[in-house]
Structure formats: structure tokens, C-alpha cells
Amino acid sequence: MSSIPEFQQRQIERWCAGRVPARLRDEIRVECRRRGGSVTILERRAQWSGDVGSEWIEQRVAQLRYDANGRWSVYWADRNGRWLSHPGFPEADTPVPLLAEIDRNPDGVFWG
């Protein structure tokens, strides 16, 4: 697996930060976690009640994978938590078109 270029990691981080208006970030956030050649995008929500606890609830939205050829692909998590390749969406040279596909979410696999 190749190392993700820093400028492309920053593109993903900026996209995540731009998903939620600043005034709502104490309730909901979109964040990313990098591990090796993959970046997992998470939606995090504050607990609805302080009685429940202070831990945020996480839902996996998508995973972007960077391969040794410098190509990106996008995956979605099924109900069992397995990552599946997004059907019919090709690889890309940058994460930008894949982030646009996550935004578009035509078949509801990313945002539910």
C-alpha cells in the first residue's frame, strides 16, 4: 500500500470539516481517520441526553482507499460492518470525485 499524499489527505479533511456548519458542531461532526492507505469517514453525533453518557455515537459513512498505483476507490459499510466496493463507481486519481459521489449518495449507501 502506498502512503497517502498529504495534500490529498488535507482535501479529505477539508471536505469533512465543510459538511457541518460551525454552529452545529457541538451536536454533529463529520470526521476522518487515516490508517495506512485508507481513510474512513465517520459521522459523529453527541448523545441525545446527558443521562445516557458523554461519549459520541459514531457511524461509518465511507472508506477511501489509496493503492500502490496512486488510484483511489470508495467503499461503503453494509449492515454487518463489512466494507463493500461502491457498485459501478470507477477508481479516481484524486479523492475529489469520490467525495462528490459520497455527497451525491444516489443509492443511499453512504448517508442511509
Side-chain angles (χ1 to χ4, degrees):
M1 222 170 258
S2 290
S3 180
I4 297 171
E6 282 302 315
F7 78 96
Q8 290 184 337
Q9 175 70 31
R10 286 191 303 275
Q11 287 176 319
I12 298 167
E13 291 167 358
R14 279 192 301 273
W15 178 86
C16 288
R19 293 284 304 165
V20 178
R23 70 185 192 309
L24 298 175
R25 290 191 188 138
D26 59 339
E27 298 173 28
I28 184 170
R29 297 177 190 151
V30 174
E31 299 176 351
C32 61
R33 288 195 188 130
R34 180 177 174 171
R35 183 175 175 199
S38 68
V39 179
T40 302
I41 297 171
L42 306 161
E43 180 184 82
R44 298 185 70 227
R45 292 181 178 267
Q47 292 284 352
W48 58 274
S49 168
D51 297 337
V52 177
S54 61
E55 293 294 315
W56 285 55
I57 299 167
E58 288 184 354
Q59 179 175 330
R60 299 184 315 167
V61 174
Q63 188 174 82
L64 301 173
R65 295 182 185 174
Y66 185 72
D67 69 22
N69 296 319
R71 304 284 293 160
W72 287 91
S73 53
V74 62
Y75 291 76
W76 62 281
D78 71 6
R79 68 180 181 193
N80 297 314
R82 290 181 302 229
W83 289 112
L84 303 173
S85 180
H86 188 275
F89 199 79
E91 295 178 336
D93 292 327
T94 73
V96 174
L98 304 178
L99 295 169
E101 182 69 2
I102 294 167
D103 264 337
R104 204 168 71 84
N105 195 27
D107 45 12
V109 296
F110 298 116
W111 301 104

